[in-house]
Amino acid sequence: DAKTTQPTSMDCAEGRAANLPCNHSTISGNEYVYWYRQIHSQGPQYIIHGLKNNETNEMASLIITEDRKSSTLILPHATLRDTAVYYCIVSRDSTGNQFYFGTGTSLTVIP
Amino acid sequence: EPEVTQTPSHQVTQMGQEVILRCVPISNHLYFYWYRQILGQKVEFLVSFYNNEISEKSEIFDDQFSVERPDGSNFTLKIRSTKLEDSAMYFCASSRTGGADYYGYTFGSGTRLTVV
């Protein structure tokens, strides 16, 4: 599976949009981009995933560049409860497939 | 909202003892997983399970580990002879399927295993 690179940490003001970047320059054609987050020591929580097109759900938006070598997760109105470690994972969309969690981006939402 | 339930939340065991971690996946999910996270480190894949057999496993998942779905609702991880380095948070996860109908894995809140 392709490797991803994320900034170690970011801050965001409460109520503002949080934009979390991820580089995945070696992504292959059948690999999806997934985003999960981990709040404190809880289990990781699924946020969103995509292949080529931009995606939006009730939690976030995912913007994937045309060459698919990078993506950005957008939390439109960050709250204090969004403080967490955010993981960008690239993997084949295959059931039973393992995910490789990197070190992620530690997002701190500041009041 | 449906949840993956893990019990116990915290288990302390002596080195060399067998331990069984229990998970109740979401009822209509078909794929089951165990991950672990040593304190301060990354979340690591252990094993995936589908149709009563292991689909994929990592190098961590050696002969000391086994998984079972004994009764159609529980999904267990057994460590036969625990070592100090098995101390970690163990997360169970389940998913309905992949493809266009994908809603991601749902993780449980974890079992913190402490080997003394």
Side-chain angles (χ1 to χ4, degrees), chain A:
Chain A
D1 291 335
K3 181 180 164 58
T4 62
T5 305
Q6 299 177 251
T8 305
S9 63
M10 291 181 64
D11 293 339
C12 177
E14 189 178 14
R16 303 296 293 269
N19 297 291
L20 291 90
C22 179
N23 285 322
H24 31 79
S25 58
T26 60
I27 192 170
S28 59
N30 63 350
E31 288 181 318
Y32 283 67
V33 180
Y34 300 87
W35 283 85
Y36 280 75
R37 72 181 183 183
Q38 188 174 25
I39 297 173
H40 199 46
S41 296
Q42 296 176 24
Q45 178 189 23
Y46 168 79
I47 302 173
I48 200 167
H49 80 292
L51 181 64
K52 293 183 197 176
N53 300 321
N54 298 337
E55 302 287 344
T56 295
N57 63 20
E58 65 278 3
M59 286 183 72
S61 295
L62 174 60
I63 309 298
I64 303 174
T65 57
E66 197 168 334
D67 63 8
R68 302 210 320 125
K69 292 185 177 181
S70 65
S71 61
T72 301
L73 177 75
I74 301 172
L75 308 177
H77 304 287
T79 71
L80 298 178
R81 286 180 293 182
D82 292 321
T83 293
V85 178
Y86 288 76
Y87 299 99
C88 168
I89 301 166
V90 169
S91 188
R92 294 170 288 121
D93 180 30
S94 173
T95 50
N97 193 37
Q98 58 177 291
F99 281 164
Y100 291 97
F101 286 82
T103 51
T105 296
S106 178
L107 174 71
T108 302
V109 180
I110 301 167

Side-chain angles (χ1 to χ4, degrees), chain B residues 4-18:
Chain B
V4 173
T5 306
Q6 289 188 244
T7 55
S9 57
H10 192 184
Q11 178 145 3
V12 180
T13 189
Q14 288 205 321
M15 191 168 55
Q17 295 295 305
E18 175 183 285

Side-chain angles (χ1 to χ4, degrees), chain B residues 18-33:
Chain B
E18 175 183 285
V19 67
I20 297 176
L21 309 182
R22 302 181 192 280
C23 169
V24 178
I26 293 172
S27 61
N28 64 347
H29 283 189
L30 301 176
Y31 300 85
F32 313 109
Y33 313 85

Side-chain angles (χ1 to χ4, degrees), chain B residues 53-66:
Chain B
E53 59 183 29
I54 291 173
S55 312
E56 201 169 347
K57 60 183 181 179
S58 71
E59 292 176 353
I60 302 168
F61 194 87
D62 61 21
D63 292 345
Q64 292 300 311
F65 291 87
S66 62

